[in-house]
Amino acid sequence: MSKTRLNQLGDLQLKIMKVLWERSEATVAEVHETLARELDLAYTTIATMLRKMEGRGLVKHRVEERKFIYRPQVKEDEVASKMSAHFIEGLFEGSLADMMSHLLSTQEISREELERLEKMIAERKKKL
């Protein structure tokens, strides 16, 4: 698994992984049906992407009644950690403070979200 570059998942790959993480496992048809609600993709596109993802070690399949049933081989938190670290390093030279400053100055944020962030920061400070 160390050869799999978890920080380089494309948008479609990430959407497919989210379906699999949510469901634990799914057929190509189930993934296609779920994603068809927001994306206009052919069934064969999903099937091809799942095969490629299996080649990368991201998913595995088993066969049941002539259907391929896919399941994730990487954990959601592991992917989130790798992708966010790559993002912060690439755009903000590793500075979480610079990233937060940018997001707070460019994105709409509610009072509730700010309070939630403040609580998370306070909890993290307690652990230091």
Side-chain angles (χ1 to χ4, degrees), residues 82-105:
K82 296 279 187 184
M83 288 184 77
S84 60
H86 183 74
F87 172 77
I88 294 166
E89 186 61 41
L91 285 177
F92 301 101
E93 297 179 354
S95 173
L96 186 57
D98 287 351
M99 184 196 74
M100 288 303 299
S101 174
H102 171 76
L103 292 174
L104 289 170
S105 65

